Amino acid sequence: MSTNYGDRLKEQREAAGLTQQQLADVAVMTRTHIAHIEAGRRVPSQEDARRLDNALNTGNVLSRFLPEQDVVVAACFEAARLLEQQALTIREFALSFVPGILQTKGYARAVLSTSFPPVSEEERDRRLVTRLKRAEVLDDPATPVIWALLDEAVLRRQIGGPEVMAEQLTHLVRLAEVGRIQVHVLPFTLGLHPLLSNIITLMWFEDQPPAAYGEGLWMGRLHDSPSIVRELRHRYDFGLGNALPLKESLALLRATAKDYERHVRPGHSERHGAGGTA
Protein backbone atom coordinates (compact mmCIF):
# COMPACT_ATOMS: atom_id res chain seq x y z
CA MET A 1 0.00 0.00 0.00
CA SER A 2 1.19 3.52 -0.71
CA THR A 3 2.22 5.51 2.35
CA ASN A 4 0.35 8.60 1.02
CA TYR A 5 -2.58 7.99 3.34
CA GLY A 6 -0.23 7.29 6.23
CA ASP A 7 1.65 10.52 5.53
CA ARG A 8 -1.62 12.49 5.49
CA LEU A 9 -2.70 10.94 8.79
CA LYS A 10 0.65 11.69 10.41
CA GLU A 11 0.48 15.32 9.24
CA GLN A 12 -3.01 15.76 10.69
CA ARG A 13 -2.03 14.05 13.97
CA GLU A 14 1.08 16.17 14.45
CA ALA A 15 -0.82 19.34 13.53
CA ALA A 16 -3.24 18.48 16.35
CA GLY A 17 -0.29 18.05 18.72
CA LEU A 18 -1.11 14.41 19.47
CA THR A 19 1.13 11.40 19.89
CA GLN A 20 0.08 8.10 18.34
CA GLN A 21 -1.03 6.88 21.76
CA GLN A 22 -3.06 10.00 22.44
CA LEU A 23 -4.79 9.69 19.07
CA ALA A 24 -5.42 6.01 19.72
CA ASP A 25 -7.09 6.83 23.04
CA VAL A 26 -9.41 9.42 21.50
CA ALA A 27 -10.23 7.34 18.39
CA VAL A 28 -10.69 4.13 20.44
CA MET A 29 -8.02 2.30 18.44
CA THR A 30 -4.68 0.76 19.36
CA ARG A 31 -1.45 2.70 19.00
CA THR A 32 0.03 -0.16 16.97
CA HIS A 33 -2.89 -0.04 14.54
CA ILE A 34 -2.34 3.67 13.97
CA ALA A 35 1.41 3.11 13.59
CA HIS A 36 0.78 0.48 10.91
CA ILE A 37 -1.54 2.84 9.00
CA GLU A 38 0.99 5.70 9.14
CA ALA A 39 3.77 3.38 7.94
CA GLY A 40 1.66 2.10 5.04
CA ARG A 41 1.49 -1.43 6.41
CA ARG A 42 -2.25 -1.37 7.11
CA VAL A 43 -5.12 -0.39 4.84
CA PRO A 44 -7.53 1.78 6.86
CA SER A 45 -11.20 0.83 6.83
CA GLN A 46 -14.09 3.26 6.44
CA GLU A 47 -14.69 2.94 10.18
CA ASP A 48 -11.01 3.67 10.89
CA ALA A 49 -11.19 6.83 8.78
CA ARG A 50 -14.45 7.97 10.43
CA ARG A 51 -12.98 7.58 13.91
CA LEU A 52 -9.79 9.38 12.94
CA ASP A 53 -11.71 12.27 11.37
CA ASN A 54 -13.80 12.60 14.53
CA ALA A 55 -10.77 12.42 16.81
CA LEU A 56 -8.80 14.98 14.79
CA ASN A 57 -11.77 17.24 13.95
CA THR A 58 -10.92 17.00 10.26
CA GLY A 59 -14.49 16.71 8.98
CA ASN A 60 -14.33 13.92 6.39
CA VAL A 61 -10.86 14.68 5.02
CA LEU A 62 -9.38 11.31 5.98
CA SER A 63 -12.51 9.45 4.86
CA ARG A 64 -12.35 11.08 1.41
CA PHE A 65 -8.63 10.34 1.15
CA LEU A 66 -9.10 6.57 1.53
CA PRO A 67 -7.36 4.49 -1.17
CA GLU A 68 -9.57 3.39 -4.06
CA GLN A 69 -11.46 0.23 -3.10
CA ASP A 70 -11.75 -1.35 -6.53
CA VAL A 71 -8.16 -2.10 -7.45
CA VAL A 72 -6.47 -4.86 -9.37
CA VAL A 73 -5.08 -7.84 -7.51
CA ALA A 74 -1.42 -6.85 -7.76
CA ALA A 75 -1.96 -3.49 -6.06
CA CYS A 76 -4.42 -4.69 -3.46
CA PHE A 77 -2.58 -7.88 -2.60
CA GLU A 78 0.55 -5.97 -1.63
CA ALA A 79 -1.31 -4.73 1.44
CA ALA A 80 -2.65 -8.24 2.12
CA ARG A 81 0.88 -9.66 1.75
CA LEU A 82 2.18 -7.32 4.42
CA LEU A 83 -0.63 -8.31 6.77
CA GLU A 84 0.11 -11.96 6.08
CA GLN A 85 3.53 -11.46 7.66
CA GLN A 86 1.97 -10.01 10.84
CA ALA A 87 -0.94 -12.41 11.32
CA LEU A 88 -1.21 -14.81 14.24
CA THR A 89 -3.86 -16.91 12.48
CA ILE A 90 -4.47 -17.33 8.75
CA ARG A 91 -7.41 -19.24 7.29
CA GLU A 92 -7.25 -19.85 3.56
CA PHE A 93 -9.94 -21.09 1.20
CA ALA A 94 -8.62 -22.15 -2.20
CA LEU A 95 -10.89 -22.80 -5.15
CA SER A 96 -8.44 -23.52 -7.98
CA PHE A 97 -4.84 -23.24 -6.76
CA VAL A 98 -2.95 -24.21 -3.62
CA PRO A 99 -2.64 -21.05 -1.44
CA GLY A 100 0.51 -19.09 -2.23
CA ILE A 101 2.21 -19.53 1.16
CA LEU A 102 1.88 -23.33 0.80
CA GLN A 103 3.12 -23.67 -2.80
CA THR A 104 6.26 -25.56 -3.73
CA LYS A 105 8.73 -23.95 -6.10
CA GLY A 106 7.68 -26.17 -9.01
CA TYR A 107 3.99 -25.55 -8.47
CA ALA A 108 4.47 -21.79 -8.04
CA ARG A 109 6.55 -21.62 -11.22
CA ALA A 110 3.81 -23.44 -13.14
CA VAL A 111 1.10 -21.12 -11.80
CA LEU A 112 3.09 -17.99 -12.62
CA SER A 113 3.78 -19.30 -16.13
CA THR A 114 0.07 -19.12 -17.02
CA SER A 115 0.00 -15.31 -17.28
CA PHE A 116 -1.70 -13.96 -20.36
CA PRO A 117 -0.54 -11.87 -22.06
CA PRO A 118 2.79 -13.59 -21.31
CA VAL A 119 5.40 -11.85 -19.20
CA SER A 120 9.15 -11.96 -19.63
CA GLU A 121 11.18 -14.70 -17.98
CA GLU A 122 12.85 -12.07 -15.81
CA GLU A 123 9.48 -10.80 -14.57
CA ARG A 124 8.26 -14.35 -13.98
CA ASP A 125 11.36 -15.14 -11.91
CA ARG A 126 10.87 -11.94 -9.90
CA ARG A 127 7.31 -12.95 -9.09
CA LEU A 128 8.49 -16.45 -8.19
CA VAL A 129 10.99 -15.12 -5.66
CA THR A 130 8.25 -12.96 -4.10
CA ARG A 131 5.85 -15.90 -3.99
CA LEU A 132 8.34 -18.21 -2.32
CA LYS A 133 9.41 -15.54 0.17
CA ARG A 134 5.84 -15.54 1.49
CA ALA A 135 6.36 -19.15 2.55
CA GLU A 136 8.95 -18.00 5.09
CA VAL A 137 6.10 -17.50 7.57
CA LEU A 138 6.27 -21.31 7.90
CA ASP A 139 9.81 -21.08 9.30
CA ASP A 140 8.32 -20.27 12.69
CA PRO A 141 7.19 -23.62 14.12
CA ALA A 142 4.03 -22.22 15.70
CA THR A 143 2.96 -18.84 14.33
CA PRO A 144 0.94 -18.10 12.33
CA VAL A 145 -1.59 -20.87 12.85
CA ILE A 146 -2.64 -21.83 9.32
CA TRP A 147 -5.86 -23.52 8.20
CA ALA A 148 -6.09 -24.52 4.55
CA LEU A 149 -9.56 -25.31 3.24
CA LEU A 150 -9.22 -26.70 -0.27
CA ASP A 151 -11.92 -27.34 -2.82
CA GLU A 152 -11.35 -30.80 -4.31
CA ALA A 153 -10.70 -29.09 -7.65
CA VAL A 154 -7.34 -27.92 -6.22
CA LEU A 155 -6.26 -31.56 -5.99
CA ARG A 156 -7.68 -32.68 -9.32
CA ARG A 157 -6.64 -29.82 -11.58
CA GLN A 158 -3.20 -30.75 -12.86
CA ILE A 159 -0.80 -27.82 -12.58
CA GLY A 160 2.71 -28.24 -13.99
CA GLY A 161 2.40 -31.98 -14.69
CA PRO A 162 2.01 -35.09 -12.51
CA GLU A 163 5.40 -34.86 -10.79
CA VAL A 164 4.85 -31.26 -9.74
CA MET A 165 1.39 -32.14 -8.45
CA ALA A 166 2.64 -35.19 -6.54
CA GLU A 167 5.33 -33.10 -4.88
CA GLN A 168 2.89 -30.31 -4.03
CA LEU A 169 0.30 -32.59 -2.44
CA THR A 170 2.99 -34.47 -0.53
CA HIS A 171 4.29 -31.13 0.75
CA LEU A 172 0.85 -30.33 2.16
CA VAL A 173 0.66 -33.75 3.81
CA ARG A 174 4.06 -33.30 5.45
CA LEU A 175 3.14 -29.87 6.82
CA ALA A 176 -0.03 -31.34 8.29
CA GLU A 177 1.71 -34.43 9.69
CA VAL A 178 4.13 -32.31 11.71
CA GLY A 179 1.25 -30.19 12.95
CA ARG A 180 2.31 -27.01 11.16
CA ILE A 181 -0.99 -26.61 9.30
CA GLN A 182 -4.53 -27.94 9.35
CA VAL A 183 -5.82 -28.98 5.93
CA HIS A 184 -9.36 -29.95 4.98
CA VAL A 185 -10.85 -30.81 1.60
CA LEU A 186 -14.31 -29.78 0.42
CA PRO A 187 -15.38 -32.78 -1.69
CA PHE A 188 -17.12 -32.52 -5.05
CA THR A 189 -20.04 -34.42 -3.53
CA LEU A 190 -20.94 -31.31 -1.50
CA GLY A 191 -22.09 -29.67 -4.70
CA LEU A 192 -22.98 -25.98 -4.57
CA HIS A 193 -21.59 -24.12 -1.55
CA PRO A 194 -21.20 -20.45 -0.46
CA LEU A 195 -17.46 -20.34 -1.18
CA LEU A 196 -17.62 -21.11 -4.90
CA SER A 197 -17.55 -17.48 -5.97
CA ASN A 198 -13.98 -16.61 -4.98
CA ILE A 199 -10.96 -17.37 -2.82
CA ILE A 200 -10.80 -16.06 0.74
CA THR A 201 -8.03 -15.34 3.22
CA LEU A 202 -8.99 -14.50 6.80
CA MET A 203 -6.37 -13.04 9.15
CA TRP A 204 -6.31 -12.36 12.88
CA PHE A 205 -3.71 -10.26 14.73
CA GLU A 206 -2.50 -9.61 18.26
CA ASP A 207 -3.36 -5.92 18.41
CA GLN A 208 -5.30 -5.11 15.24
CA PRO A 209 -8.82 -5.81 13.98
CA PRO A 210 -9.18 -8.93 11.82
CA ALA A 211 -9.01 -8.55 8.04
CA ALA A 212 -10.08 -10.54 5.02
CA TYR A 213 -8.82 -10.71 1.46
CA GLY A 214 -11.10 -11.91 -1.33
CA GLU A 215 -10.10 -12.49 -4.92
CA GLY A 216 -11.89 -13.25 -8.16
CA LEU A 217 -10.85 -13.00 -11.80
CA TRP A 218 -8.44 -10.04 -12.14
CA MET A 219 -9.82 -8.34 -9.04
CA GLY A 220 -8.93 -8.51 -5.39
CA ARG A 221 -10.03 -6.57 -2.34
CA LEU A 222 -8.83 -6.27 1.23
CA HIS A 223 -11.66 -5.90 3.74
CA ASP A 224 -11.48 -4.29 7.20
CA SER A 225 -15.22 -3.76 7.63
CA PRO A 226 -16.31 -5.86 10.65
CA SER A 227 -19.60 -6.80 8.95
CA ILE A 228 -17.87 -8.01 5.76
CA VAL A 229 -15.17 -9.91 7.67
CA ARG A 230 -17.90 -11.52 9.76
CA GLU A 231 -19.87 -12.55 6.65
CA LEU A 232 -16.78 -14.07 5.03
CA ARG A 233 -15.97 -15.89 8.25
CA HIS A 234 -19.49 -17.35 8.31
CA ARG A 235 -18.97 -18.65 4.77
CA TYR A 236 -15.62 -20.11 5.73
CA ASP A 237 -17.09 -21.78 8.82
CA PHE A 238 -19.85 -23.29 6.69
CA GLY A 239 -17.24 -24.74 4.36
CA LEU A 240 -15.11 -26.04 7.21
CA GLY A 241 -18.13 -27.69 8.78
CA ASN A 242 -18.89 -29.53 5.55
CA ALA A 243 -15.30 -30.47 4.69
CA LEU A 244 -13.66 -33.84 5.21
CA PRO A 245 -12.01 -34.29 8.63
CA LEU A 246 -8.23 -33.94 8.81
CA LYS A 247 -7.56 -37.69 8.73
CA GLU A 248 -9.77 -38.25 5.68
CA SER A 249 -8.42 -35.16 3.94
CA LEU A 250 -4.83 -36.37 4.35
CA ALA A 251 -5.81 -39.81 3.08
CA LEU A 252 -7.28 -38.21 -0.04
CA LEU A 253 -4.18 -36.06 -0.54
CA ARG A 254 -1.89 -39.09 -0.24
CA ALA A 255 -3.98 -41.19 -2.62
CA THR A 256 -4.14 -38.39 -5.18
CA ALA A 257 -0.38 -37.84 -4.95
CA LYS A 258 0.20 -41.56 -5.60
CA ASP A 259 -2.08 -41.39 -8.63
CA TYR A 260 0.03 -38.57 -10.04
CA GLU A 261 3.24 -40.47 -9.29
CA ARG A 262 1.99 -43.40 -11.37
CA HIS A 263 1.66 -41.09 -14.36
CA VAL A 264 5.24 -39.84 -14.18
CA ARG A 265 7.10 -41.38 -17.12
CA PRO A 266 10.15 -43.49 -16.13
CA GLY A 267 13.32 -41.48 -16.54
CA HIS A 268 11.36 -38.25 -16.94
CA SER A 269 11.99 -35.55 -14.36
CA GLU A 270 10.48 -32.13 -13.82
CA ARG A 271 12.82 -31.34 -10.95
CA HIS A 272 14.07 -28.26 -12.73
CA GLY A 273 10.78 -26.68 -11.76
CA ALA A 274 10.40 -28.28 -8.34
CA GLY A 275 12.49 -28.17 -5.22
CA GLY A 276 10.07 -27.27 -2.44
CA THR A 277 9.45 -23.94 -0.78
CA ALA A 278 12.05 -21.32 -0.01
Side-chain angles (χ1 to χ4, degrees):
M1 155 182 176
S2 169
T3 59
N4 288 342
Y5 189 93
D7 292 341
R8 176 65 64 90
L9 172 59
K10 184 177 181 180
E11 289 172 2
Q12 297 289 346
R13 175 178 61 77
E14 291 180 342
L18 298 177
T19 65
Q20 288 181 341
Q21 185 60 60
Q22 289 170 330
L23 176 57
D25 292 340
V26 177
V28 194
M29 299 168 67
T30 68
R31 187 206 63 78
T32 303
H33 187 36
I34 289 175
H36 283 317
I37 293 175
E38 289 190 355
R41 294 190 297 269
R42 190 76 158 98
V43 175
S45 67
Q46 289 284 351
E47 179 62 17
D48 289 336
R50 185 190 67 78
R51 291 187 180 192
L52 291 168
D53 272 328
N54 288 341
L56 293 168
N57 295 314
T58 48
N60 63 349
V61 170
L62 294 171
S63 296
R64 288 203 317 269
F65 200 65
L66 278 173
E68 178 62 42
Q69 292 295 311
D70 291 321
V71 293
V72 296
V73 170
C76 186
F77 186 73
E78 175 60 18
R81 184 188 67 81
L82 291 171
L83 291 180
E84 191 177 68
Q85 308 302 309
Q86 305 167 31
L88 296 180
T89 300
I90 299 174
R91 291 195 173 193
E92 299 268 14
F93 167 68
L95 184 60
S96 301
F97 301 110
V98 171
I101 58 176
L102 301 177
Q103 291 179 6
T104 63
K105 183 177 181 180
Y107 188 94
R109 186 185 299 278
V111 170
L112 294 172
S113 296
T114 61
S115 299
F116 191 85
V119 298
S120 67
E121 185 174 351
E122 180 181 1
E123 174 62 16
R124 187 168 61 247
D125 288 345
R126 185 183 69 81
R127 295 180 184 180
L128 179 61
V129 169
T130 300
R131 175 71 55 88
L132 296 180
K133 192 169 183 60
R134 290 172 54 201
E136 291 179 1
V137 298
L138 296 169
D139 292 345
D140 187 301
T143 304
V145 176
I146 297 176
W147 295 68
L149 179 59
L150 310 177
D151 191 279
E152 189 174 345
V154 175
L155 283 61
R156 305 298 184 186
R157 188 179 301 281
Q158 189 174 138
I159 305 294
E163 188 172 3
V164 168
M165 286 299 299
E167 181 189 48
Q168 175 63 76
L169 298 185
T170 300
H171 177 63
L172 294 176
V173 170
R174 287 172 180 160
L175 288 173
E177 286 178 337
V178 299
R180 187 61 189 82
I181 69 171
Q182 291 286 308
V183 59
H184 297 272
V185 177
L186 270 173
F188 284 143
T189 53
L190 178 61
L192 185 68
H193 60 81
L195 292 171
L196 276 177
S197 58
N198 59 358
I199 70 169
I200 293 174
T201 300
L202 298 169
M203 293 173 281
W204 286 265
F205 310 89
E206 182 177 4
D207 53 7
Q208 305 176 51
Y213 177 74
E215 184 177 312
L217 184 61
W218 296 114
M219 295 300 296
R221 181 178 292 184
L222 186 66
H223 301 282
D224 278 345
S225 167
S227 61
I228 294 178
V229 173
R230 185 165 54 248
E231 170 64 22
L232 293 176
R233 182 177 180 180
H234 287 164
R235 292 186 177 219
Y236 191 97
D237 289 345
F238 175 90
L240 194 59
N242 285 275
L244 298 177
L246 176 62
K247 185 176 180 180
E248 294 179 28
S249 295
L250 293 181
L252 179 58
L253 284 165
R254 293 189 192 98
T256 307
K258 288 184 179 179
D259 286 341
Y260 282 123
E261 288 171 352
R262 283 195 287 268
H263 287 85
V264 177
R265 287 177 293 170
H268 176 70
S269 175
E270 295 167 319
R271 291 297 177 186
H272 64 281
T277 55

mmCIF file with all atom_site columns, all heavy atoms in Angstrom, residues 264-277:
data_model
loop_
_atom_site.group_PDB
_atom_site.id
_atom_site.type_symbol
_atom_site.label_atom_id
_atom_site.label_alt_id
_atom_site.label_comp_id
_atom_site.label_asym_id
_atom_site.label_entity_id
_atom_site.label_seq_id
_atom_site.pdbx_PDB_ins_code
_atom_site.Cartn_x
_atom_site.Cartn_y
_atom_site.Cartn_z
_atom_site.occupancy
_atom_site.B_iso_or_equiv
_atom_site.pdbx_formal_charge
_atom_site.auth_seq_id
_atom_site.auth_comp_id
_atom_site.auth_asym_id
_atom_site.auth_atom_id
_atom_site.pdbx_PDB_model_num
ATOM 1  N N   . VAL A 1 264 ? 3.930  -40.392 -13.840 1.00 0.00 ? 264 VAL A N   1
ATOM 2  C CA  . VAL A 1 264 ? 5.236  -39.836 -14.181 1.00 0.00 ? 264 VAL A CA  1
ATOM 3  C C   . VAL A 1 264 ? 5.976  -40.856 -15.028 1.00 0.00 ? 264 VAL A C   1
ATOM 4  O O   . VAL A 1 264 ? 6.172  -41.999 -14.617 1.00 0.00 ? 264 VAL A O   1
ATOM 5  C CB  . VAL A 1 264 ? 6.059  -39.504 -12.917 1.00 0.00 ? 264 VAL A CB  1
ATOM 6  C CG1 . VAL A 1 264 ? 7.439  -38.989 -13.319 1.00 0.00 ? 264 VAL A CG1 1
ATOM 7  C CG2 . VAL A 1 264 ? 5.334  -38.455 -12.075 1.00 0.00 ? 264 VAL A CG2 1
ATOM 8  N N   . ARG A 1 265 ? 6.406  -40.445 -16.224 1.00 0.00 ? 265 ARG A N   1
ATOM 9  C CA  . ARG A 1 265 ? 7.096  -41.376 -17.122 1.00 0.00 ? 265 ARG A CA  1
ATOM 10 C C   . ARG A 1 265 ? 8.460  -41.768 -16.553 1.00 0.00 ? 265 ARG A C   1
ATOM 11 O O   . ARG A 1 265 ? 9.183  -40.909 -16.046 1.00 0.00 ? 265 ARG A O   1
ATOM 12 C CB  . ARG A 1 265 ? 7.286  -40.736 -18.502 1.00 0.00 ? 265 ARG A CB  1
ATOM 13 C CG  . ARG A 1 265 ? 6.001  -40.628 -19.311 1.00 0.00 ? 265 ARG A CG  1
ATOM 14 C CD  . ARG A 1 265 ? 6.259  -39.929 -20.625 1.00 0.00 ? 265 ARG A CD  1
ATOM 15 N NE  . ARG A 1 265 ? 6.614  -38.523 -20.407 1.00 0.00 ? 265 ARG A NE  1
ATOM 16 C CZ  . ARG A 1 265 ? 7.082  -37.736 -21.368 1.00 0.00 ? 265 ARG A CZ  1
ATOM 17 N NH1 . ARG A 1 265 ? 7.287  -38.215 -22.575 1.00 0.00 ? 265 ARG A NH1 1
ATOM 18 N NH2 . ARG A 1 265 ? 7.358  -36.472 -21.108 1.00 0.00 ? 265 ARG A NH2 1
ATOM 19 N N   . PRO A 1 266 ? 8.831  -43.047 -16.621 1.00 0.00 ? 266 PRO A N   1
ATOM 20 C CA  . PRO A 1 266 ? 10.152 -43.488 -16.134 1.00 0.00 ? 266 PRO A CA  1
ATOM 21 C C   . PRO A 1 266 ? 11.264 -42.689 -16.811 1.00 0.00 ? 266 PRO A C   1
ATOM 22 O O   . PRO A 1 266 ? 11.265 -42.508 -18.021 1.00 0.00 ? 266 PRO A O   1
ATOM 23 C CB  . PRO A 1 266 ? 10.206 -44.962 -16.541 1.00 0.00 ? 266 PRO A CB  1
ATOM 24 C CG  . PRO A 1 266 ? 8.770  -45.370 -16.645 1.00 0.00 ? 266 PRO A CG  1
ATOM 25 C CD  . PRO A 1 266 ? 8.040  -44.167 -17.161 1.00 0.00 ? 266 PRO A CD  1
ATOM 26 N N   . GLY A 1 267 ? 12.185 -42.225 -15.999 1.00 0.00 ? 267 GLY A N   1
ATOM 27 C CA  . GLY A 1 267 ? 13.318 -41.480 -16.537 1.00 0.00 ? 267 GLY A CA  1
ATOM 28 C C   . GLY A 1 267 ? 13.020 -40.021 -16.816 1.00 0.00 ? 267 GLY A C   1
ATOM 29 O O   . GLY A 1 267 ? 13.907 -39.247 -17.133 1.00 0.00 ? 267 GLY A O   1
ATOM 30 N N   . HIS A 1 268 ? 11.722 -39.644 -16.688 1.00 0.00 ? 268 HIS A N   1
ATOM 31 C CA  . HIS A 1 268 ? 11.360 -38.250 -16.935 1.00 0.00 ? 268 HIS A CA  1
ATOM 32 C C   . HIS A 1 268 ? 11.343 -37.498 -15.627 1.00 0.00 ? 268 HIS A C   1
ATOM 33 O O   . HIS A 1 268 ? 10.790 -37.958 -14.645 1.00 0.00 ? 268 HIS A O   1
ATOM 34 C CB  . HIS A 1 268 ? 9.972  -38.162 -17.582 1.00 0.00 ? 268 HIS A CB  1
ATOM 35 C CG  . HIS A 1 268 ? 9.498  -36.747 -17.775 1.00 0.00 ? 268 HIS A CG  1
ATOM 36 N ND1 . HIS A 1 268 ? 10.057 -35.906 -18.687 1.00 0.00 ? 268 HIS A ND1 1
ATOM 37 C CD2 . HIS A 1 268 ? 8.522  -36.042 -17.163 1.00 0.00 ? 268 HIS A CD2 1
ATOM 38 C CE1 . HIS A 1 268 ? 9.442  -34.732 -18.644 1.00 0.00 ? 268 HIS A CE1 1
ATOM 39 N NE2 . HIS A 1 268 ? 8.507  -34.798 -17.709 1.00 0.00 ? 268 HIS A NE2 1
ATOM 40 N N   . SER A 1 269 ? 11.948 -36.324 -15.594 1.00 0.00 ? 269 SER A N   1
ATOM 41 C CA  . SER A 1 269 ? 11.987 -35.545 -14.356 1.00 0.00 ? 269 SER A CA  1
ATOM 42 C C   . SER A 1 269 ? 11.610 -34.102 -14.645 1.00 0.00 ? 269 SER A C   1
ATOM 43 O O   . SER A 1 269 ? 12.004 -33.523 -15.651 1.00 0.00 ? 269 SER A O   1
ATOM 44 C CB  . SER A 1 269 ? 13.394 -35.571 -13.738 1.00 0.00 ? 269 SER A CB  1
ATOM 45 O OG  . SER A 1 269 ? 13.447 -34.726 -12.621 1.00 0.00 ? 269 SER A OG  1
ATOM 46 N N   . GLU A 1 270 ? 10.851 -33.542 -13.734 1.00 0.00 ? 270 GLU A N   1
ATOM 47 C CA  . GLU A 1 270 ? 10.481 -32.129 -13.824 1.00 0.00 ? 270 GLU A CA  1
ATOM 48 C C   . GLU A 1 270 ? 11.128 -31.365 -12.672 1.00 0.00 ? 270 GLU A C   1
ATOM 49 O O   . GLU A 1 270 ? 10.670 -30.301 -12.274 1.00 0.00 ? 270 GLU A O   1
ATOM 50 C CB  . GLU A 1 270 ? 8.956  -31.989 -13.759 1.00 0.00 ? 270 GLU A CB  1
ATOM 51 C CG  . GLU A 1 270 ? 8.280  -32.633 -14.957 1.00 0.00 ? 270 GLU A CG  1
ATOM 52 C CD  . GLU A 1 270 ? 6.760  -32.757 -14.719 1.00 0.00 ? 270 GLU A CD  1
ATOM 53 O OE1 . GLU A 1 270 ? 6.361  -33.109 -13.604 1.00 0.00 ? 270 GLU A OE1 1
ATOM 54 O OE2 . GLU A 1 270 ? 6.015  -32.533 -15.680 1.00 0.00 ? 270 GLU A OE2 1
ATOM 55 N N   . ARG A 1 271 ? 12.216 -31.938 -12.132 1.00 0.00 ? 271 ARG A N   1
ATOM 56 C CA  . ARG A 1 271 ? 12.819 -31.345 -10.954 1.00 0.00 ? 271 ARG A CA  1
ATOM 57 C C   . ARG A 1 271 ? 13.374 -29.950 -11.207 1.00 0.00 ? 271 ARG A C   1
ATOM 58 O O   . ARG A 1 271 ? 13.617 -29.189 -10.279 1.00 0.00 ? 271 ARG A O   1
ATOM 59 C CB  . ARG A 1 271 ? 13.961 -32.234 -10.430 1.00 0.00 ? 271 ARG A CB  1
ATOM 60 C CG  . ARG A 1 271 ? 13.439 -33.542 -9.840  1.00 0.00 ? 271 ARG A CG  1
ATOM 61 C CD  . ARG A 1 271 ? 12.567 -33.294 -8.636  1.00 0.00 ? 271 ARG A CD  1
ATOM 62 N NE  . ARG A 1 271 ? 12.020 -34.538 -8.136  1.00 0.00 ? 271 ARG A NE  1
ATOM 63 C CZ  . ARG A 1 271 ? 11.141 -34.619 -7.159  1.00 0.00 ? 271 ARG A CZ  1
ATOM 64 N NH1 . ARG A 1 271 ? 10.679 -33.524 -6.603  1.00 0.00 ? 271 ARG A NH1 1
ATOM 65 N NH2 . ARG A 1 271 ? 10.677 -35.781 -6.744  1.00 0.00 ? 271 ARG A NH2 1
ATOM 66 N N   . HIS A 1 272 ? 13.587 -29.611 -12.475 1.00 0.00 ? 272 HIS A N   1
ATOM 67 C CA  . HIS A 1 272 ? 14.071 -28.264 -12.731 1.00 0.00 ? 272 HIS A CA  1
ATOM 68 C C   . HIS A 1 272 ? 13.066 -27.221 -12.303 1.00 0.00 ? 272 HIS A C   1
ATOM 69 O O   . HIS A 1 272 ? 13.403 -26.084 -12.033 1.00 0.00 ? 272 HIS A O   1
ATOM 70 C CB  . HIS A 1 272 ? 14.361 -28.096 -14.231 1.00 0.00 ? 272 HIS A CB  1
ATOM 71 C CG  . HIS A 1 272 ? 13.145 -28.217 -15.093 1.00 0.00 ? 272 HIS A CG  1
ATOM 72 N ND1 . HIS A 1 272 ? 12.591 -29.433 -15.440 1.00 0.00 ? 272 HIS A ND1 1
ATOM 73 C CD2 . HIS A 1 272 ? 12.341 -27.271 -15.650 1.00 0.00 ? 272 HIS A CD2 1
ATOM 74 C CE1 . HIS A 1 272 ? 11.512 -29.244 -16.190 1.00 0.00 ? 272 HIS A CE1 1
ATOM 75 N NE2 . HIS A 1 272 ? 11.336 -27.941 -16.325 1.00 0.00 ? 272 HIS A NE2 1
ATOM 76 N N   . GLY A 1 273 ? 11.803 -27.626 -12.182 1.00 0.00 ? 273 GLY A N   1
ATOM 77 C CA  . GLY A 1 273 ? 10.778 -26.680 -11.764 1.00 0.00 ? 273 GLY A CA  1
ATOM 78 C C   . GLY A 1 273 ? 10.298 -26.955 -10.356 1.00 0.00 ? 273 GLY A C   1
ATOM 79 O O   . GLY A 1 273 ? 9.361  -26.333 -9.898  1.00 0.00 ? 273 GLY A O   1
ATOM 80 N N   . ALA A 1 274 ? 10.867 -27.936 -9.682  1.00 0.00 ? 274 ALA A N   1
ATOM 81 C CA  . ALA A 1 274 ? 10.398 -28.276 -8.343  1.00 0.00 ? 274 ALA A CA  1
ATOM 82 C C   . ALA A 1 274 ? 11.402 -27.804 -7.317  1.00 0.00 ? 274 ALA A C   1
ATOM 83 O O   . ALA A 1 274 ? 12.116 -26.851 -7.522  1.00 0.00 ? 274 ALA A O   1
ATOM 84 C CB  . ALA A 1 274 ? 10.168 -29.776 -8.256  1.00 0.00 ? 274 ALA A CB  1
ATOM 85 N N   . GLY A 1 275 ? 11.475 -28.533 -6.201  1.00 0.00 ? 275 GLY A N   1
ATOM 86 C CA  . GLY A 1 275 ? 12.493 -28.173 -5.217  1.00 0.00 ? 275 GLY A CA  1
ATOM 87 C C   . GLY A 1 275 ? 11.947 -27.660 -3.912  1.00 0.00 ? 275 GLY A C   1
ATOM 88 O O   . GLY A 1 275 ? 12.712 -27.226 -3.066  1.00 0.00 ? 275 GLY A O   1
ATOM 89 N N   . GLY A 1 276 ? 10.625 -27.651 -3.727  1.00 0.00 ? 276 GLY A N   1
ATOM 90 C CA  . GLY A 1 276 ? 10.068 -27.265 -2.436  1.00 0.00 ? 276 GLY A CA  1
ATOM 91 C C   . GLY A 1 276 ? 10.030 -25.755 -2.247  1.00 0.00 ? 276 GLY A C   1
ATOM 92 O O   . GLY A 1 276 ? 10.392 -24.982 -3.105  1.00 0.00 ? 276 GLY A O   1
ATOM 93 N N   . THR A 1 277 ? 9.584  -25.360 -1.071  1.00 0.00 ? 277 THR A N   1
ATOM 94 C CA  . THR A 1 277 ? 9.447  -23.943 -0.778  1.00 0.00 ? 277 THR A CA  1
ATOM 95 C C   . THR A 1 277 ? 10.775 -23.348 -0.354  1.00 0.00 ? 277 THR A C   1
ATOM 96 O O   . THR A 1 277 ? 11.721 -24.047 -0.031  1.00 0.00 ? 277 THR A O   1
ATOM 97 C CB  . THR A 1 277 ? 8.432  -23.746 0.359   1.00 0.00 ? 277 THR A CB  1
ATOM 98 O OG1 . THR A 1 277 ? 8.846  -24.523 1.486   1.00 0.00 ? 277 THR A OG1 1
ATOM 99 C CG2 . THR A 1 277 ? 7.043  -24.154 -0.074  1.00 0.00 ? 277 THR A CG2 1
#
